[in-house]
Amino acid sequence: MSVTAPLGFRAAGVAAGLKSRDARDLALVVNDGPSRAAAGVFTRNRIKAAPVLWSEQVLTGGRVRAVVLNSGGANACTGPAGFQDTHATAEKVAEVLGDSAGEIAVCSTGLIGERLPMDRLLPGLDLVAAQLTRDGGLAAADAIRTTDTVTKISFRRGEGYMVGGMAKGAGMLAPAMATMLSVVTTDADVPASELDRVLRKAVGLTFDRLDTDGCMSTNDTVLLLASGASGITPDPAEFEKKVTEVCADLARQLQVDAEGATKAIAIEVVGAAHEDEAVAVGRAVARSNLLKCAIHGEDPNWGRVLSAVGTTEAVFEPDRVNVAINGIWICRGGAAGDDRAKVDLRPRDVTITVDLSAGPHSATIHTTDLTADYVHENSAYST
Amino acid sequence: MSVTAPLGFRAAGVAAGLKSRDARDLALVVNDGPSRAAAGVFTRNRIKAAPVLWSEQVLTGGRVRAVVLNSGGANACTGPAGFQDTHATAEKVAEVLGDSAGEIAVCSTGLIGERLPMDRLLPGLDLVAAQLTRDGGLAAADAIRTTDTVTKISFRRGEGYMVGGMAKGAGMLAPAMATMLSVVTTDADVPASELDRVLRKAVGLTFDRLDTDGCMSTNDTVLLLASGASGITPDPAEFEKKVTEVCADLARQLQVDAEGATKAIAIEVVGAAHEDEAVAVGRAVARSNLLKCAIHGEDPNWGRVLSAVGTTEAVFEPDRVNVAINGIWICRGGAAGDDRAKVDLRPRDVTITVDLSAGPHSATIHTTDLTADYVHENSAYST
């Protein structure tokens, strides 16, 4: 279903020869309207890829006709020439669609620092445009994969409208969004300003709370496009809920497919004085390589949880912190609690609960274990 | 030579049965004076082990008669009972030496969250005190090892005085000091206030700039003890230089012995607007798991350097950043520079130079690669 689940969208994914192996690497998602309202959230990395710089400008207009996405190259750190490549890509898509380049968003993913092979990409755009169909969402989702082992798609049904989405991301998953590209579509009729509000909130609660390896990418982009083709103006709260659910579902798929991961770890922080502090504590725990190794080894090493909590500025008293792993409170009052032998770490899903005993706020950060496979995958070749 | 290189110090290291295997695990360093001036720098982690809380109090007095150190248990997150264990340890050492517990510093290292076996530790203190000798520095350095594969010792000769030191640390090496214990001794005659100034400065330039896995420990302690036994009041600048050299030498030994590491990486940040920003940039790069994997794979993936630089608040323009790996400027002006094939990453020592082109300041952070062995070592058992 993916991005073509809602009415008004066509998509396609083709092999343009950007990747060395013969796989799909170029995707196009077109909004046929009647509305073109759109919103975007981008990486907070100060080193931004050319397509991010371009698409940020496009999104200031609140309108997107089409999104072109490529794997096989991030077009980041490529200087003015790289930006011209992005510009040329948007111009070419606009030409094929008989539209304006100013409403064509561009996303790229892959190795940083190398120019895209434009001699293959530009002809590929003719190819992908020729294959646009109402059921091309899956092919598009396939084309944006890099080290992703599976395509990531999702959809939810609202009252008379649909929300669909696709995403890619397996490594460099961190703070200001898991390193990732995602396009979410809807046939609801929603103005750009409302899309912007809803998307920021949804991303803040989902992609932003996935932190698998602490590395923030230069290319992170999440776009929300509304065709209005259902003719339905949704209830704002319901619409926000559906978009958030699609983003959460995609984020979960990114987590499960994270490079080398054997465990999906939820760091649930409760009893925080402020939600921000709950997020900060969860993120600190999620970034402890030592803890991530311990969970990989199915060792309930709560000392590594506490030592990560202690690096934050959050309000807490060391002797009032409690920690549970998979429901067993093995740390109570900052010291050993229930018998650690009771903790069953064999299941793939692991929940680490940190109770700061400092207030009513909470947040959950999602991460993975750190494995030899992660090291192999990220040392064996450039990504 | 270690901590007994300077006059006025005795030391010993014995096996007290704190570790499961039959190895040395208890060390004692005694300052026979005439001076007892001392200074300490401790972990900035808010979750502090009992011996850290104790020793911080001792050091407020600026006088230390002896330091007792154990491996085989961190005595962190052990609650009031754990603090009583530290207190009892200091009392016992004071009793054996016929001195005051208020001038006995305590250091512990090992697994967090478990009580120390006091029934073995207390008798061990009689044993270690009985073995104190002027040449016991090496045995003491051996006794504080945890996953360290070698003992770490150093000394430097000043004008009429000596500076000696020992350290332990192989994992959890991070920000506010590599996770480590270190005792540095001198027979120079230096008041506690001056020792404090010198030690803070030396630690800030050495141990604080080693960041192998981003994990900050609950037990980090560096102590500087002066016996005054040489009768020499050193030139302040020379003394600072010698102490800094000993700390730098020990920090280098920690780096080379870091768990699983096959590369010693120096992140040299130049052209920064402020030294603090150079440190922040170096630390961000040192903490990129993706980069650390790439260096392990001998892949000069400078895009992973730039994406880490971009997460900082340091002053720089993305299109003016240059990066060299082992002297080859593979990134110039934020884009591809010299041929990456020219970078030789086969040597153990790797230097990554980041030129921010934003000012005259610089700093170097030391780290290591991320390897499957690191994962194995930290997932196979609790440490």
Side-chain angles (χ1 to χ4, degrees):
Chain A
M1 300 295 277
S2 175
V3 290
T4 46
L7 298 172
F9 291 92
R10 287 176 297 151
V14 301
L18 310 179
K19 287 176 177 165
S20 48
R21 60 200 166 84
D22 183 30
R24 289 194 183 103
D25 49 22
L26 188 60
L28 187 59
V29 179
V30 173
N31 180 356
D32 289 321
S35 171
R36 294 185 180 183
V41 177
F42 301 92
T43 183
R44 288 197 288 267
N45 199 311
R46 291 171 58 201
I47 308 272
K48 296 180 202 298
V52 169
L53 295 170
W54 172 269
S55 297
E56 279 182 333
Q57 287 306 307
V58 168
L59 267 296
T60 58
R63 289 165 58 90
V64 165
R65 174 69 206 284
V67 187
V68 54
L69 312 93
N70 73 274
S71 53
N75 197 7
C77 306
T78 46
F83 190 80
Q84 285 174 20
D85 292 340
T86 292
H87 192 164
T89 302
E91 289 283 5
K92 172 78 181 181
V93 172
E95 180 196 319
V96 174
L97 297 177
D99 217 295
S100 154
E103 298 188 2
I104 310 296
V106 183
C107 302
S108 300
T109 181
L111 184 63
I112 297 174
E114 294 193 355
R115 295 276 302 276
L116 291 171
M118 295 302 286
D119 57 332
R120 275 168 273 167
L121 196 154
L122 292 176
L125 292 173
D126 285 314
L127 187 66
V128 73
Q131 298 200 10
L132 286 167
T133 59
R134 276 287 296 135
D135 59 4
L138 193 58
D142 180 52
I144 60 175
R145 290 164 53 194
T146 51
T147 57
D148 307 67
T149 63
V150 296
T151 58
K152 284 110 178 175
I153 59 173
S154 180
F155 75 98
R156 287 291 186 282
R157 196 176 299 277
E159 287 289 327
Y161 65 94
M162 295 280 281
V163 179
M166 66 178 186
K168 69 78 45 178
M172 241 195 202
L173 292 175
M177 299 196 296
T179 292
M180 51 162 301
L181 304 179
S182 180
V183 178
V184 179
T185 57
T186 181
D187 50 15
D189 191 12
V190 183
S193 58
E194 176 67 1
L195 293 177
D196 186 70
R197 186 192 67 77
V198 166
L199 185 62
R200 279 178 201 287
K201 199 161 171 194
V203 167
L205 291 172
T206 58
F207 295 122
D208 263 358
R209 293 194 178 176
L210 176 62
D211 192 332
T212 68
D213 66 4
C215 294
M216 193 198 293
S217 132
T218 50
N219 289 59
D220 292 334
T221 301
V222 181
L223 301 175
L224 174 56
L225 316 182
S227 70
S230 70
I232 300 291
T233 300
D235 171 70
E238 191 210 33
F239 181 66
E240 183 179 311
K241 182 166 176 286
K242 297 299 173 189
V243 171
T244 304
E245 283 177 8
V246 166
C247 291
D249 186 13
L250 292 170
R252 167 76 187 174
Q253 293 175 53
L254 297 181
Q255 180 190 20
V256 172
D257 195 31
E259 288 168 350
T262 68
K263 303 285 185 192
I265 308 171
I267 317 285
E268 190 180 79
V269 181
V270 302
H274 303 282
E275 186 178 350
D276 283 358
E277 296 189 349
V279 170
V281 167
R283 214 178 272 300
V285 174
R287 291 198 183 165
S288 167
N289 280 352
L290 286 172
L291 175 67
K292 291 153 71 90
C293 287
I295 298 299
H296 178 54
E298 304 189 348
D299 169 17
N301 196 322
W302 59 269
R304 292 177 181 177
V305 177
L306 278 204
S307 67
V309 172
T311 64
T312 71
E313 304 288 323
V315 174
F316 70 85
E317 293 299 323
D319 60 359
R320 294 193 62 202
V321 177
N322 308 308
V323 177
I325 299 183
N326 283 351
I328 308 296
W329 290 92
I330 47 174
C331 168
R332 292 178 187 271
D338 298 352
D339 184 4
R340 48 179 279 152
K342 289 184 185 158
V343 179
D344 183 3
L345 276 169
R346 287 168 303 177
R348 184 182 180 98
D349 280 300
V350 174
T351 301
I352 298 176
T353 310
V354 178
D355 174 11
L356 297 175
S357 305
H361 297 283
S362 62
T364 299
I365 298 290
H366 298 274
T367 189
T368 55
D369 54 343
L370 179 59
T371 69
D373 282 351
Y374 175 91
V375 175
H376 291 147
E377 190 149 353
N378 286 295
S379 60
Y381 59 90
S382 287
T383 50
Chain B
M1 300 296 277
S2 175
V3 289
T4 45
L7 298 174
F9 291 93
R10 286 176 296 150
V14 301
L18 310 178
K19 287 177 176 165
S20 48
R21 60 201 165 83
D22 182 29
R24 288 196 183 103
D25 48 22
L26 188 61
L28 186 59
V29 179
V30 173
N31 181 355
D32 290 320
S35 171
R36 293 185 180 185
V41 176
F42 300 92
T43 182
R44 288 197 287 266
N45 198 311
R46 291 171 58 203
I47 308 271
K48 294 182 202 299
V52 169
L53 296 170
W54 172 270
S55 298
E56 280 183 332
Q57 286 308 307
V58 169
L59 267 296
T60 58
R63 288 165 59 91
V64 166
R65 173 70 206 283
V67 187
V68 54
L69 311 94
N70 73 274
S71 53
N75 197 7
C77 305
T78 45
F83 190 79
Q84 285 173 21
D85 291 341
T86 292
H87 192 163
T89 302
E91 289 283 3
K92 171 78 180 180
V93 171
E95 180 196 320
V96 173
L97 297 177
D99 218 293
S100 155
E103 297 188 2
I104 309 296
V106 183
C107 301
S108 299
T109 181
L111 184 63
I112 296 174
E114 296 194 353
R115 296 275 302 278
L116 292 171
M118 295 302 286
D119 57 331
R120 272 169 275 167
L121 197 154
L122 292 177
L125 293 173
D126 285 314
L127 187 66
V128 73
Q131 299 200 10
L132 285 167
T133 59
R134 277 286 298 137
D135 60 2
L138 193 59
D142 182 52
I144 60 175
R145 290 164 53 193
T146 52
T147 56
D148 307 67
T149 65
V150 294
T151 57
K152 284 109 178 175
I153 59 173
S154 180
F155 76 97
R156 286 292 185 281
R157 196 177 298 276
E159 287 288 329
Y161 65 95
M162 295 280 281
V163 178
M166 66 178 187
K168 68 79 48 177
M172 241 194 201
L173 291 176
M177 298 197 295
T179 290
M180 54 162 299
L181 304 179
S182 179
V183 178
V184 179
T185 56
T186 180
D187 49 16
D189 191 13
V190 182
S193 58
E194 175 68 2
L195 293 178
D196 187 71
R197 185 191 69 76
V198 167
L199 185 63
R200 281 180 199 287
K201 200 161 170 194
V203 167
L205 290 171
T206 59
F207 295 122
D208 264 356
R209 293 194 177 174
L210 175 62
D211 192 333
T212 68
D213 66 5
C215 294
M216 194 198 293
S217 129
T218 51
N219 290 59
D220 290 335
T221 301
V222 181
L223 300 175
L224 174 56
L225 317 182
S227 70
S230 71
I232 299 291
T233 300
D235 171 71
E238 191 209 31
F239 182 65
E240 183 180 311
K241 182 165 177 285
K242 297 299 170 187
V243 170
T244 303
E245 283 177 10
V246 166
C247 291
D249 186 12
L250 292 170
R252 167 74 187 177
Q253 294 175 51
L254 297 180
Q255 178 189 22
V256 172
D257 194 32
E259 289 169 349
T262 68
K263 301 287 187 190
I265 308 170
I267 317 286
E268 188 179 80
V269 181
V270 302
H274 303 282
E275 186 178 350
D276 283 358
E277 297 188 349
V279 170
V281 167
R283 216 178 271 302
V285 174
R287 292 202 181 161
S288 167
N289 280 352
L290 286 172
L291 175 66
K292 288 152 73 88
C293 287
I295 298 300
H296 179 55
E298 304 188 347
D299 169 17
N301 196 321
W302 59 270
R304 293 179 180 175
V305 177
L306 277 203
S307 67
V309 173
T311 64
T312 71
E313 305 289 324
V315 174
F316 70 85
E317 292 300 323
D319 61 359
R320 295 194 62 203
V321 177
N322 308 308
V323 177
I325 299 184
N326 282 351
I328 307 296
W329 290 93
I330 49 176
C331 168
R332 293 178 185 272
D338 298 352
D339 184 3
R340 48 179 278 151
K342 288 184 186 159
V343 179
D344 182 2
L345 277 169
R346 288 169 301 175
R348 183 181 180 100
D349 280 299
V350 174
T351 301
I352 299 177
T353 310
V354 179
D355 174 10
L356 297 175
S357 305
H361 296 283
S362 63
T364 300
I365 297 289
H366 298 275
T367 188
T368 55
D369 53 343
L370 179 58
T371 69
D373 282 349
Y374 175 90
V375 174
H376 291 146
E377 188 149 356
N378 287 295
S379 59
Y381 60 92
S382 287
T383 51

